[in-house]
Structures are given as C-alpha cells and as structure tokens.
Amino acid sequence: MYGANSSSLTPGFFILNGIPGLEAAHIWISLPFFFMYIIAAVGNCGLIHLISHEEALHRPMYYFLALLSFTDVTLCTTTVPNMLCIFWFNRKEIDFNACLAQMFFVHTFTATESGVLMLMALDRYVAICYPLRYATILTNPVIAKAGLATFLRSVMLIIPFTFLTKRLPYCHGNIIPHTYCDHMSVAKVSCGNVKVDAIYGLLAALLIGGFDMFCISVSYTMILRTVVSLSSVEARHKAFGTCTSHLCAIVITYVPALFTIFTHRFGEQNIPHHIHIIIANLYLLCPPTLNPIVYGVKTKQIREGVIKLFCKEKHVLGMEYIH
C-alpha cells in the first residue's frame, strides 16, 4: 500500500472508491454524468468560439462569460474523465502526487469560478449604474488584469492545501470514499490532526466565497437602487433583464457549493455519505452544464450569434458543394 516513503507514512497511491454504498449502480450513475460532461464541453467550447469570432460579442460582459466558460470546462475536465474510469473500468488507483495535483486544480478553478462571477456582477454594476462610462472603465487591459488577479488570488489561497495535506501521516490506509481528490476527503483519511486543515479550508472559503458573495450583494443592491429609480417600466425591465442570466449562474454555482462546504465540516453525521458525494459531483458538473444553456436562452445577442454562425457555416458548405 505504501511507496518508498513509507517511513513518513506517505502512501504511494490512493484508492478512489467512487460512491460508497452505490457500487452496483455506478454504471447507471455514470450515464447522466457523462452526458452532462459532453454538454458542458460542447456548450462552453462553443461559447468561447462564438465570442472570439463574433464581433458583436466583443464586449466586456462576453469576455467575462468566455473566461467563465473556460474555467467551467477546465474544472469539470479535471475530475470527470477520472471519475468515469472509476465507474466504467474500476480504475480506482491514483498516484499520491497526482491526487494532490487534482485537488489543487479542482479547488483553484472552483475559486476562480467564484471570482469570475464576482467580476461579472461588477460588470453589470458599471453597465447599469455608469452606462456612459462603461467602455472607458472596462477596457481590455482592465479586463485582462482583473481576470489574472482573480486567478492568482485562487492559486495563492489554494496552494497551502497541498502542503497541509502532504504533511499529514496516512496510517489508517489509503482508501478515499469519493470520486475525486477533495481537500477534506483526503485529509480525513489521515490519522493525524486535521484541525488546521479544517480551519484553513473554512478560512479560504470565507476569503474567496464570502468576499465574492459580499461584492455580488453590494453590486446588486446598487443595481436595484438604480433600476428602481428609472422612470420607465420598460427601461427597468430591460436593465434588470441583462442580469437574469448572471443571477441564474450565481444560484447554480453557490447553492451546491455552500452545501458541500458546510456538510463536510458540520453536517456529515446527519446526511448519508453517498448523498454528499453525489451533490459534490453535481457541484462540479451543474454550473458548466447549465451556464451555456442559461446564457444561450436568456441572452439575445448570443442567440443571434449562434444563428448567424450556423447560417454562415451552412452557406460555406453550400458553396463547397456547388464547386
């Protein structure tokens, strides 16, 4: 079970046990996860392609959406292929360092996703509260710096997870009752004191999620005040209508995230473990799957861009057929 570093009780590999208690249903459980991943990959890559090629979508709002799509598709790609290998081929072993790497990327990109949602809220705040200065405030360099700062914040706050987990002794075994390497799931396999891990994990969640939700709340409070002060009912509906997609994305992302974070620390005694793991997987899959659909349905410019792109492709294929 242990590799060359057994003297320090560091395992050579972990066993990801999938969803304990539902092993017989792994194949059936994998099917919705597989289809959700395909929808997420196609939808988000399609959005990125559309935004990069459609000139009408070269605006701050859509640049942030492209960043969200990139974060989403990268996030689910770090876990789903490995998860499907567990469900389909019973390949449960994962190298110790590979597990730490997966844990780092999962938490980094979930933190980045939260930061991008916060940036999108600030974008809506500037667009509605300062419409005449929108283009001058949110320039391309500002957007690039904001995106980079959000990613670097995530990296700096998540890096300690890997060191905290690596220092722990694993004398209780190497079986993780999960489908991917999550910080607390790995830490709880240890026979050491994980109090520091739990406290830092909660602190990181508050510094990232708490700060982002505070900024989102303040942004929407200011947006609501501005919208209510508009004299025209039609103008109010139009202004707030630009926020509906973003509000849906916030709900889709934060509800399962908060459930996962707090049940890991406070509610595991009352919630069956397999329910917790299924919710943790949906937390990584639902936002990437649903965000392109929500934005595609709710955003007129994206719908028009999709139609225009398909018409262009159809025209090109028709010309090639003629020649």
Side-chain angles (χ1 to χ4, degrees):
M1 178 173 70
Y2 293 95
N5 200 18
S6 59
S7 61
S8 63
L9 298 176
T10 300
F13 59 88
F14 285 118
I15 303 291
L16 289 169
N17 220 19
I19 305 177
L22 297 178
E23 287 86 357
H26 273 180
I27 293 293
W28 296 107
I29 293 170
S30 71
L31 295 178
F33 287 168
F34 171 71
F35 287 117
M36 288 173 75
Y37 177 63
I38 295 299
I39 293 168
V42 172
N44 285 290
C45 291
L47 263 181
I48 294 169
H49 175 78
L50 180 67
I51 292 167
S52 63
H53 285 79
E54 187 58 48
E55 195 171 340
L57 300 179
H58 291 178
R59 293 167 55 192
M61 172 184 172
Y62 301 110
Y63 290 144
F64 286 129
L65 178 57
L67 182 57
L68 181 67
S69 292
F70 174 78
T71 303
D72 279 345
V73 76
T74 307
L75 173 61
C76 59
T77 300
T78 60
T79 57
V80 177
N82 189 62
M83 183 198 310
L84 293 176
C85 285
I86 295 169
F87 289 157
W88 292 348
F89 310 115
N90 207 35
R91 291 180 57 184
K92 298 182 177 183
E93 289 187 11
I94 182 169
D95 180 77
F96 179 76
N97 290 321
C99 183
L100 294 184
Q102 185 186 56
M103 180 181 70
F104 170 76
F105 285 116
V106 166
H107 290 294
T108 295
F109 283 107
T110 51
T112 303
E113 182 178 49
S114 175
V116 174
L117 287 173
M118 182 263 292
L119 294 177
M120 294 173 82
L122 295 176
D123 166 78
R124 292 298 83 208
Y125 163 69
V126 175
I128 292 171
C129 299
Y130 302 97
L132 299 179
R133 297 173 57 194
Y134 180 62
T136 57
I137 294 174
L138 291 177
T139 59
N140 287 349
V142 169
I143 293 167
K145 288 174 184 176
L148 180 62
T150 300
F151 178 71
L152 290 177
R153 179 195 68 164
S154 302
V155 170
M156 296 305 294
L157 287 172
I158 299 303
I159 277 179
F161 282 179
T162 56
F163 294 107
L164 287 171
T165 307
K166 195 164 187 175
R167 71 181 173 84
L168 293 170
Y170 294 90
C171 48
H172 286 167
N174 63 345
I175 297 175
I176 301 172
H178 213 302
T179 55
Y180 62 88
C181 292
D182 170 80
H183 173 227
M184 287 309 298
S185 294
V186 176
K188 285 177 181 178
V189 177
S190 166
C191 56
N193 188 346
V194 299
K195 189 175 181 180
V196 174
D197 295 72
I199 291 172
Y200 184 77
L202 194 57
L203 180 64
L206 290 172
L207 287 173
I208 296 169
F211 175 78
D212 292 343
M213 285 191 284
F214 172 76
C215 291
I216 290 169
S217 301
V218 171
S219 296
Y220 273 101
T221 300
M222 301 301 291
I223 287 169
L224 198 58
R225 286 179 59 184
T226 302
V227 170
V228 169
S229 67
L230 295 173
S231 56
S232 167
V233 175
E234 185 181 346
R236 283 188 222 134
H237 286 163
K238 185 177 179 181
F240 206 70
T242 64
C243 302
T244 54
S245 301
H246 181 244
L247 289 169
C248 290
I250 290 169
V251 172
I252 291 165
T253 301
Y254 281 115
V255 170
L258 291 172
F259 178 90
T260 300
I261 290 167
F262 288 108
T263 54
H264 246 319
R265 290 161 177 83
F266 309 115
E268 285 196 329
Q269 302 292 333
N270 304 317
I271 299 170
H273 195 59
H274 63 273
I275 297 295
H276 170 77
I277 294 175
I278 289 171
I279 296 294
N281 282 288
L282 291 176
Y283 156 55
L284 297 184
L285 268 170
C286 279
T289 303
L290 296 177
N291 284 342
I293 297 171
V294 168
Y295 275 94
V297 170
K298 293 282 187 182
T299 310
K300 181 182 175 183
Q301 290 87 344
I302 290 177
R303 291 199 306 271
E304 290 175 348
V306 170
I307 293 168
K308 186 177 177 181
L309 191 64
F310 272 107
C311 289
K312 188 186 292 183
E313 291 293 332
K314 189 176 179 181
H315 176 72
V316 170
L317 288 173
M319 293 298 292
E320 287 179 353
Y321 178 77
I322 291 169
H323 290 293

